[in-house]
């Protein structure tokens, strides 16, 4: 029966004569049914309702929309707001009023002289809206939403026609398609100035929470995830589960947008991320530079360390042309994200230097500062940037007054790259700059700024002999050190301390989590002898960031644990610029730094394996320290020997016998004899052990 009714309806729409054969009616009855609805309803009420619904569908959708399409060209031909307002409403069908209102908004936006809501109270506009209000019941859902969207843009207050349209849409909320429901939520979310609109938004969101399972398109999923408020945690979780189902159907742009929205909401759903990244790696990453910047931001915010994805981003960036200033800002954003990820890609860094240099002075200064900060983070200074660095710093010197925050980041980044400059360091250590730093930084960022100032102060004091610039006062350093937050205690850090405690009594033989006046914590400081055995750390009881004299057979050791966040990723795996700077500062005051990367020391090792590993590291430190001391003494002795040979040559040249020598061959033979003596002395020095040299400093 249902199949017969469905076939009958299709035949009725097409006005086919086969209807009597299917339904069993006589031709006379069909004739009456076509022209006499009362007779049709008397014979078959069900068929009459089907016919009526088909008729309404044709009247409400097909014919007016076809007419509206013909009127679209006429509406688009209007060149001014007055032409649109002067139109007679009877000239157009009601279903074309949405096009009329859209054209009105377009013309109004192109004319800056017109007030924002200047024509809302115009009598001509009221005449159009009144006609629209009288025919709201005849409008299709699409036209209803379109007209309401235009009116919400034109007025911040609710009018009679807006109330009628809202009421009509509210009655159809459950019957709207999911895309139309999303549009209702979107337009009310953008303009929720009145209580009526806020109420409509709440009701639409309730319907959206109930109908999320209807999502079949990736674009609807992304839109729903964008529109869902942060408070709706259950809805967001449901949409993320839906993303797992639709991940195969999502394009690269849809995946990038969903990841970006997850990053903005700070929701790190690992299964969803893995699925989306897997399908993103399988597709072609045809995104603009701005989209790549947003994708890089999502990777940095969600901690996505995927070599294939990040490699594809770099490849796409390298294929982009020079671009405009906005493209360079996008490239700067990508560099910033890679710096946060500590992802070192030398090709990207070198290409960024070339692109920025091509823009010249027109490039915003923030881009150069971001490049230097990224270089400091990944501990890589591009060779082409190293040559331009002095001129670049001079050009960026205006930031010292205009933006102290950026200037401090620039100076600290340059310091992490082992570039020392007296005037540069002195510029951030003055009292005036300290006051400016307090003003421009928030309370949360001020601690990090103080740490950077302490780093630069220690570099200027210990790495620049003869430094005459500004330095932080002793009282200022003490105040900052007192305010330093407690050290980080992670699982791997506790594992290291547990291993040290198995080697010796920590209270007697080591100091852990040492707070240095250089603005960082050192995991442990030890004293060992030449046999790599721990010695009582009495000399380090009152730790100060200065040289402590120890007997020649004792060595000061600083243990630095390098966890995942302390190492770079990508093309090179090495300590970050911050960790390299800390190790350098500890070495300047006589410590031998032992760096323990997380890849070599982990909690899966047994206690015995960890103890053996640390013992091997200590022996290696002693060996390298002795070799370093021996090479230093050898260099000093060679320098003295060369000075003695030079002095003897001069004395030989001033004797009467030497003046009597005229032949070049005789002079050459004398010189060769001296060089042979020097060579024999060098060979003799190389054969000596470190103990022989220490006991006999002038062999």
């Amino acid at each position: 029966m249902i199949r017969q009714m469905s076939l009958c309806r299709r035949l009725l729409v097409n006005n086919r004569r086969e209807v009597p054969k299917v339904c069993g009616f006589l031709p006379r009855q069909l004739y009456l049914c076509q022209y006499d609805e009362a007779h049709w309803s008397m014979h078959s009420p069900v068929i009459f309702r089907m016919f009526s619904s088909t008729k309404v569908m044709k009247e409400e959708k097909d014919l007016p929309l076809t007419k509206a399409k013909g009127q679209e060209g006429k509406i688009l031909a209007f060149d001014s707001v007055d032409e649109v307002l002067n139109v007679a409403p009877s000239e157009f069908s009601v279903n074309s009023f949405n096009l009329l209102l859209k054209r009105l908004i377009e013309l109004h936006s192109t004319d800056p002289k017109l007030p924002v809501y200047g024509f809302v109270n115009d009598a001509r506009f009221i005449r159009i809206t009144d006609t629209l209000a009288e025919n709201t019941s005849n409008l299709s859902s699409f036209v209803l939403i379109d007209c309401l969207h235009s009116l919400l843009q034109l007025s911040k207050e609710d009018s009679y026609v807006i109330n009628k349209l809202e009421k009509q849409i509210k009655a159809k909320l459950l019957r709207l398609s999911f895309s139309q429901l999303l549009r209702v939520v979107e337009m009310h979310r953008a303009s929720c100035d009145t209580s009526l609109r806020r109420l409509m938004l709440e009701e639409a969101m309730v319907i959206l929470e109930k109908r999320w399972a209807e999502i079949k398109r990736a674009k609807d999923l992304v839109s729903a995830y964008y529109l869902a408020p942060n408070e709706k945690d259950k809805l967001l979780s449901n949409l993320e589960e839906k993303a797992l189902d639709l991940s195969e159907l999502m394009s690269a742009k849809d995946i990038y947008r969903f990841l970006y929205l997850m990053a903005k909401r700070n929701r790190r759903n690992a299964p969803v991320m893995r699925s989306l990244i897997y399908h993103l790696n399988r597709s072609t990453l045809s995104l603009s530079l701005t989209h790549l910047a947003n994708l890089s931001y999502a990777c940095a915010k969600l901690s996505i360390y995927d070599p294939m994805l990040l490699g594809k981003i770099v490849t796409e960036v390298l294929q982009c042309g020079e671009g405009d200033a906005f493209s360079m800002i996008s490239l700067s954003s990508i560099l910033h994200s890679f710096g946060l990820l500590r992802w070192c890609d030398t090709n990207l860094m070198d290409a960024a230097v070339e692109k920025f240099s091509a823009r010249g002075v027109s490039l915003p200064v923030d881009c150069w500062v971001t490049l230097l900060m990224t270089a400091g983070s990944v501990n890589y200074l591009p060779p082409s940037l190293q040559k331009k660095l002095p001129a670049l710093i001079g050009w960026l010197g205006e930031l010292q007054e205009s933006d102290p925050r950026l200037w401090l980041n620039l100076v600290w980044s340059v310091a992490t790259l082992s570039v020392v400059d007296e005037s540069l360091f002195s510029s951030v250590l003055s009292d005036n700059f300290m006051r400016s730093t307090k003003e421009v930084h928030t309370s949360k960022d001020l601690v990090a700024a103080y740490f950077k100032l302490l780093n630069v102060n220690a570099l200027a004091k210990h790495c620049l002999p003869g430094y005459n610039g500004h330095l932080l006062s002793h009282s200022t350093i003490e105040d900052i050190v007192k305010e330093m937050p407690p050290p980080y205690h992670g699982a791997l850090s506790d594992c290291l301390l547990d291993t040290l405690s198995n080697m010796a009594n920590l209270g007697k033989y080591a100091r852990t989590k040492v707070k240095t006046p250089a603005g960082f914590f050192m995991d442990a400081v030890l004293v060992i002898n030449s046999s790599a055995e721990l010695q009582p750390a009495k000399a380090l009881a009152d730790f100060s960031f200065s040289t402590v004299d120890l007997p020649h057979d004792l060595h000061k050791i600083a243990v630095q644990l390098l966890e995942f966040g302390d190492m770079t990723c990508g093309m090179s795996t090495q300590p970050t610029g911050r960790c390299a700077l800390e190790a350098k500062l500890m070495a300047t005051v006589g410590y031998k730094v032992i760096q323990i990367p997380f890849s070599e020391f982990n909690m899966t090792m047994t206690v015995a394996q960890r103890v053996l590993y640390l013992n091997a590291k200590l022996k290696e430190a002693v060996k390298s320290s002795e070799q370093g001391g021996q090479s230093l003494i050898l260099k000093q002795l060679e320098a003295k020997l060369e000075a003695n040979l030079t002095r003897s040559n001069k004395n030989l040249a001033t004797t009467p016998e030497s003046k009597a020598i005229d032949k070049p061959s005789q002079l050459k033979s004398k010189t060769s004899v001296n060089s042979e003596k020097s060579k024999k002395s060098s060979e003799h020095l190389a054969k000596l052990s470190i103990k022989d040299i220490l006991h006999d400093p002038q062999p």
Side-chain angles (χ1 to χ4, degrees):
M1 179 64 184
I2 295 174
R3 292 182 61 186
Q4 288 182 346
M5 291 170 63
S6 176
L7 182 58
C8 180
R9 180 171 181 171
R10 290 199 303 270
L11 295 175
L12 283 172
V13 173
N14 296 325
N15 265 336
R16 300 290 297 272
R17 284 285 180 179
E18 290 81 1
V19 176
K21 298 179 183 178
V22 176
C23 300
F25 297 141
L26 296 176
R28 174 66 179 170
Q29 289 174 318
L30 176 64
Y31 178 82
L32 292 175
C33 289
Q34 287 182 335
Y35 297 98
D36 189 356
E37 295 178 2
H39 187 274
W40 182 281
S41 61
M42 179 180 64
H43 283 82
S44 180
V46 176
I47 299 298
F48 173 72
R49 285 196 297 269
M50 291 174 55
F51 174 79
S52 300
S53 62
T54 304
K55 182 179 179 182
V56 171
M57 179 184 67
K58 292 183 70 175
E59 288 180 354
E60 190 173 298
K61 184 175 180 181
D62 298 339
L63 296 178
L65 288 181
T66 305
K67 188 177 180 182
K69 288 181 180 179
Q71 295 173 347
E72 183 177 358
K74 185 178 180 181
I75 294 173
L76 293 175
F78 292 139
D79 295 330
S80 65
V81 173
D82 287 334
E83 288 186 25
V84 179
L85 294 177
N86 289 329
V87 70
S90 57
E91 295 181 13
F92 299 94
S93 66
V94 181
N95 279 279
S96 64
F97 272 36
N98 61 329
L99 304 175
L100 204 63
L101 293 174
K102 279 184 180 180
R103 186 58 180 167
L104 192 61
I105 293 175
E106 291 175 3
L107 295 173
H108 182 268
S109 61
T110 56
D111 192 352
K113 297 180 181 179
L114 292 174
V116 181
Y117 305 111
F119 55 83
V120 175
N121 297 323
D122 193 305
R124 297 170 296 176
F125 181 75
I126 295 174
R127 182 182 57 184
I128 296 174
T129 56
D130 287 345
T131 307
L132 181 64
E134 293 172 0
N135 296 275
T136 52
S137 58
N138 298 327
L139 298 177
S140 64
S141 300
F142 174 78
V143 178
L144 272 173
I145 296 172
D146 231 12
C147 291
L148 181 59
H149 186 208
S150 300
L151 290 173
L152 292 180
Q153 290 179 278
L154 291 172
S155 176
K156 286 188 175 182
E157 298 178 356
D158 292 334
S159 60
Y160 173 70
V161 64
I162 290 178
N163 291 337
K164 288 207 67 175
L165 291 172
E166 293 272 19
K167 185 178 179 181
Q168 196 73 19
I169 292 175
K170 185 178 179 181
K172 292 185 175 184
L173 275 179
L174 288 172
R175 290 175 289 169
L176 295 176
S177 66
F178 197 83
S179 300
Q180 291 174 340
L181 178 61
L182 288 174
R183 193 174 175 202
V184 171
V185 174
E186 181 182 5
M187 67 187 187
H188 283 86
R189 186 170 176 263
S191 58
C192 53
D193 304 315
T194 64
S195 58
L196 176 65
R197 301 179 189 183
R198 288 191 291 269
L199 181 62
M200 186 67 178
L201 176 61
E202 292 176 3
E203 294 184 3
M205 284 303 306
V206 170
I207 301 298
L208 181 62
E209 288 184 75
K210 296 178 180 179
R211 297 180 57 185
W212 65 269
E214 300 178 17
I215 299 176
K216 301 296 182 184
R217 299 194 312 162
K219 290 184 178 180
D220 291 343
L221 173 64
V222 175
S223 300
Y225 197 75
Y226 168 74
L227 295 172
N230 292 326
E231 298 79 18
K232 304 286 186 180
D233 185 71
K234 185 177 180 180
L235 175 60
L236 292 173
S237 300
N238 291 334
L239 293 175
E240 289 167 2
E241 290 180 9
K242 197 68 178 178
L244 283 173
D245 300 334
L246 299 179
S247 56
E248 295 183 2
L249 305 177
M250 297 174 73
S251 64
K253 284 188 176 180
D254 294 330
I255 295 176
Y256 128 73
R257 287 168 180 158
F258 201 88
L259 287 173
Y260 178 72
L261 291 174
M262 289 179 68
K264 294 290 284 185
R265 296 180 182 276
N266 202 17
R267 293 180 62 90
R268 197 176 188 277
N269 191 326
V272 177
M273 286 165 47
R274 284 195 292 267
S275 177
L276 294 179
I277 293 169
Y278 170 76
H279 290 95
L280 187 60
N281 287 334
R282 295 183 62 186
S283 60
T284 304
L285 210 68
S286 55
L287 301 175
S288 66
L289 205 57
T290 305
H291 294 165
L292 292 173
N294 291 337
L295 181 58
S296 303
Y297 164 81
C299 292
K301 191 70 179 291
L302 299 174
S303 300
I304 299 174
Y305 293 89
D306 187 271
M308 187 173 181
L309 176 59
L310 296 173
K312 292 178 74 172
I313 292 176
V314 173
T315 303
E316 291 293 323
V317 171
L318 296 179
Q319 291 176 355
C320 295
E322 293 293 334
D324 53 4
F326 184 75
S327 300
M328 295 301 102
I329 293 174
S330 300
L331 177 57
S332 172
S333 176
I334 294 173
L335 289 174
H336 181 64
S337 300
F338 274 63
L340 294 176
L341 286 169
R342 310 175 318 281
W343 194 270
C344 181
D345 193 292
T346 57
N347 296 327
L348 177 64
M349 297 290 292
D350 295 337
V353 174
E354 294 180 4
K355 292 178 183 294
F356 286 178
S357 301
R359 298 292 303 176
V361 186
S362 61
L363 189 71
V365 294
D366 294 6
C367 297
W368 285 111
V369 176
T370 302
L371 176 61
L372 288 171
M373 290 177 63
T374 303
S377 176
V378 300
N379 200 11
Y380 171 73
L381 181 61
S384 55
L385 180 61
Q386 189 173 4
K387 300 176 183 178
K388 303 173 183 178
L389 199 56
L392 178 62
I393 293 174
W395 178 60
L396 297 174
E398 62 182 18
L399 292 175
Q400 183 178 350
E401 300 293 336
S402 61
D403 197 336
R405 181 182 57 84
L406 280 181
W407 180 250
L408 177 59
N409 288 332
L410 184 145
V411 174
W412 183 81
S413 301
V414 170
T416 58
L417 296 168
S418 300
V419 179
V420 291
D421 185 88
E422 181 173 339
S423 60
L424 201 62
F425 291 171
S426 181
S427 65
V428 298
L429 298 176
S430 62
D431 295 336
N432 292 333
F433 190 85
M434 283 289 293
R435 286 191 291 270
S436 302
T437 301
K438 292 180 182 179
E439 294 173 359
V440 299
H441 286 86
T442 61
S443 58
K444 182 180 179 181
D445 298 333
L446 190 59
V447 177
Y450 280 159
F451 285 175
K452 292 178 181 178
L453 287 173
L454 290 177
N455 292 162
V456 176
N457 184 74
L459 272 174
K461 186 176 180 180
H462 299 285
C463 298
L464 279 178
Y467 176 76
N468 296 319
H470 295 286
L471 285 173
L472 299 180
S473 63
H474 185 68
S475 59
T476 303
I477 294 175
E478 287 184 347
D479 293 339
I480 295 175
V481 172
K482 288 179 182 178
E483 298 297 327
M484 288 175 66
Y488 170 74
H489 283 278
L492 193 59
S493 177
D494 294 339
C495 183
L496 173 64
L497 298 182
D498 179 66
T499 307
L500 288 172
S501 66
N502 280 277
M503 296 174 64
N505 184 1
L506 292 182
K508 182 179 180 181
Y509 292 93
R511 291 198 60 199
T512 59
K513 297 298 178 182
V514 179
K515 183 187 294 186
T516 69
F520 58 88
F521 287 90
M522 189 53 58
D523 292 283
V525 289
L526 317 166
V527 176
I528 59 176
N529 58 16
S530 299
S531 301
E533 297 174 348
L534 291 174
Q535 301 297 311
K538 295 180 180 179
L540 306 178
D542 297 325
F543 180 84
S544 60
F545 203 70
S546 59
T547 304
V548 180
D549 295 328
L550 293 176
H552 65 272
D553 59 337
L554 296 181
H555 308 276
K556 295 185 299 181
I557 303 296
V559 181
Q560 185 184 36
L561 180 64
L562 299 175
E563 300 195 45
F564 178 74
D566 301 323
M567 303 285 288
T568 62
C569 307
M571 301 180 72
S572 65
T573 304
Q574 59 181 347
T576 59
R578 175 183 57 82
C579 294
L581 177 62
E582 294 173 1
K584 179 181 179 180
L585 289 173
M586 293 298 292
T588 56
V589 290
Y591 281 85
K592 180 63 181 178
V593 181
I594 296 178
Q595 293 182 325
I596 303 177
F598 72 98
S599 56
E600 299 177 2
F601 184 88
N602 53 67
M603 292 180 290
T604 60
M605 302 166 63
T606 63
V607 177
Q609 289 174 333
R610 296 199 299 265
V611 170
L612 289 174
Y613 174 82
L614 286 182
N615 277 326
K617 281 285 186 180
L618 292 175
K619 290 179 181 178
E620 183 182 346
V622 171
K623 184 178 179 181
S624 61
S625 180
E626 289 181 349
Q627 288 177 352
Q630 183 178 3
S631 62
L632 179 61
I633 294 175
L634 287 174
K635 288 180 181 179
Q636 293 176 353
L637 293 176
E638 286 180 359
K640 289 182 179 180
L641 183 61
E642 288 180 2
N644 291 334
L645 290 175
T646 304
R647 195 182 306 112
S648 63
N649 288 337
K650 288 183 179 179
N651 294 334
L652 182 63
T654 56
T655 57
E657 296 177 357
S658 63
K659 293 180 180 179
I661 297 175
D662 295 331
K663 296 182 180 180
S665 60
Q666 295 176 352
L667 183 61
K668 183 176 180 181
S669 63
K670 290 282 183 179
T671 306
S672 62
V673 170
N674 293 335
S675 62
E676 288 178 2
K677 290 181 179 180
S678 176
K679 184 177 180 181
K680 290 180 180 179
S681 301
S682 300
E683 292 176 353
H684 175 66
L685 286 172
K687 294 177 181 178
L688 293 175
S689 64
I690 185 66
K691 293 183 179 179
D692 296 332
I693 295 175
L694 289 174
H695 289 299
D696 188 10
Q698 291 184 357

